[in-house]
Structure formats: structure tokens, C-alpha cells
Amino acid sequence: MISSTVLFYGNYVLCLCLGLLCVVFVSYWNIEWRGGFAWDASFLQFNWHPVLMVTGLVVLYGNAAILYRIPFTWSQRKQHWKLVHAALLLSSLILSILGLCAVFDFHTGYHIPNLYSLHSWVGIFTVVLFTAQWLLGLVGFLSPCSPLGFRKLLKPVHAWMGMAIFILSLASCLSGINEKLLLALNSTAAYSSHPAEALFANFLGVLIVAFGLVVLGILSNQRWKRPEPGEESSRVSILLSDEEHSDVPSCVSEHQLW
């Protein structure tokens, strides 16, 4: 029987590979068919938008969300991994804001209205919610002045909001890919004729969906949830196969986890 730990790491490696492919594909799409990158309020500046949003709002965010599920981290102080989690999310947020700056500058330079499409509404709401979530997490979980009772109340809300933001991020990127293709190819007729760019970008969308499903699958598996104090022995039993169980210490000290 394959242990749950081995199964997790199989999914984790798949997550990393899919995330890397998402970044490579969105970058190649904008280099090969959209002309590359610049920061001069031109069409080339707009090309930063999909790259930064997919990299930050989807790939980095997804990896930050599953950080606590990695069994390797369970035997170490949680405070250290809180800082890593917060830093990854801050990097994701910064890239997302830069992605918004790229598209707003481009729109301003070409006198294009901002926030007129459903994609833009969902995207801006996602980044605003993400910003509020990060600040709330900073105050609630990293501030030494945060009361324990407040942390307990905030924890389920924080987890739910994290999942919601990730799903909104997926929806924003997928709708953005579709909108960009329709605008770039000028018509649905050109889109439906299956040009190489459309096929490539559609496949990018499939990769983003696959990445999202793997991340959500990891987050939804309760066996891969970081154990609370007092749960260590039972969680180790669940994670390991019968053959491995006999080699595992009966408990893990509480100070290692918290």
C-alpha cells in the first residue's frame, strides 16, 4: 500500500511541474505571437499583464496555499513557515499589482476605458480581496499582540477566503485568456478557424485548470492538513502505511509543531 505521504509528494511534484508549465506557456505565448515585452505604455507593456497575473495570482498563490500541507514542515516550528507563507503571498500580491499597473498604463496610453469587462471586474475584485486577506493575516497571525481568541475565530475565515481568492484567480485568468484571444484575432470567426495562437492559448488555459484542480485537491484532503497540537500521533498513523508505522516514534513534541 502506498503511504499517504508518498501520494502527497506525487501530487506536489505534479503541482510544481504544472505551475512551471503555466509560466513557460504564458511567457512563450506573449513572446512568440504578441511581440515580447516593454514598459512604455505600448501593446508590448500589456503583454506583462497575463504573465504577471498567471505567475503571481495563480502559480505563486497556489504554492503558498499548500505550503502548510507539506509533511516536511510539520516537524518544524510553525512560526518559521508562517513567515515563508506570508512572503510567498506578498510576492504574489506584488506581481499581481504590477500586472494591474501594466494594463492600466496601457489603457491610459491608448485612451481605452478601464474596468469595462466582466474579466476586469472579477480581476480587480480578486486583487482587492487578496490585499485585504494578506493584511488581515499579517495582523491576525504574525502580530505578537494578536489575541489567541481572535486567531481562533480568524483561522477558518482565513482558510475559506484563501480558497475563494484562488478560485477567483483561476476564473480571472481563464476569462482574460479568452478575452485577449477574441481581441487579438479580431473576430470569433478567426478564433473558430483554430489558428496556432488560439490552440496554444487554449492549452495554456487547460494547464491553469489542471494546476488549480491539483492545488484544490491537496487543500481538500484532510489527511494532508497540518496536525494541531495533540493530533500528532494519530496523524502520523494515518499518513504512513502499515509497513512503515512500526518505525515511527509514538509522538512528536508539541514545541516542534508550534
Side-chain angles (χ1 to χ4, degrees), residues 3 13 22 35 40 49 62 86 91 111 132 138 143 160 169 173 178 180 208 213 215 218 235 242:
S3 74
V13 170
C22 287
D40 54 5
H49 177 67
S91 300
H111 306 290
L138 179 67
S143 172
W160 179 85
S169 300
C173 288
N178 188 250
K180 177 61 179 177
I208 291 173
L213 290 176
V215 170
I218 291 174
R235 184 60 56 82
D242 293 335

Side-chain angles (χ1 to χ4, degrees), residues 66-80:
I66 62 176
L67 183 68
Y68 293 136
R69 304 301 174 112
I70 305 174
F72 165 76
T73 68
W74 296 357
S75 61
Q76 301 172 25
R77 290 185 63 84
K78 190 175 184 180
Q79 186 67 21
H80 298 158

Side-chain angles (χ1 to χ4, degrees), residues 127-149:
V127 175
V128 169
L129 192 63
F130 182 11
T131 304
Q133 164 86 333
W134 191 87
L135 292 173
L136 193 60
L138 179 67
V139 173
F141 299 113
L142 290 178
S143 172
C145 301
S146 175
L148 182 60

Side-chain angles (χ1 to χ4, degrees), residues 86-106:
L88 284 174
L89 288 175
L90 180 59
S91 300
S92 170
L93 182 59
I94 290 171
L95 291 181
S96 303
I97 292 172
L98 286 174
L100 291 180
C101 290
V103 70
F104 280 120
D105 281 354
F106 163 72

Side-chain angles (χ1 to χ4, degrees), residues 2-135:
I2 300 176
S3 74
S4 185
T5 304
V6 174
L7 188 59
F8 169 83
Y9 280 113
N11 280 273
Y12 185 59
V13 170
L14 178 60
C15 176
L16 293 176
C17 291
L18 287 171
L20 179 61
L21 284 174
C22 287
V23 175
V24 170
F25 268 61
V26 71
S27 301
Y28 185 79
W29 173 29
N30 285 279
I31 292 171
E32 178 67 18
W33 282 282
R34 299 290 104 214
F37 306 99
W39 200 274
D40 54 5
S42 68
F43 281 94
L44 298 184
Q45 178 169 327
F46 176 88
N47 294 341
W48 281 113
H49 177 67
V51 173
L52 292 171
M53 301 313 273
V54 169
T55 303
L57 208 54
V58 173
V59 178
L60 265 181
Y61 188 98
N63 279 281
I66 62 176
L67 183 68
Y68 293 136
R69 304 301 174 112
I70 305 174
F72 165 76
T73 68
W74 296 357
S75 61
Q76 301 172 25
R77 290 185 63 84
K78 190 175 184 180
Q79 186 67 21
H80 298 158
W81 292 101
K82 282 183 179 181
L83 294 173
V84 176
H85 177 71
L88 284 174
L89 288 175
L90 180 59
S91 300
S92 170
L93 182 59
I94 290 171
L95 291 181
S96 303
I97 292 172
L98 286 174
L100 291 180
C101 290
V103 70
F104 280 120
D105 281 354
F106 163 72
H107 281 185
T108 300
Y110 284 83
H111 306 290
I112 299 172
N114 290 308
L115 301 175
Y116 63 87
S117 66
L118 177 60
H119 160 67
S120 62
W121 287 17
V122 174
I124 200 70
F125 176 73
T126 303
V127 175
V128 169
L129 192 63
F130 182 11
T131 304
Q133 164 86 333
W134 191 87
L135 292 173

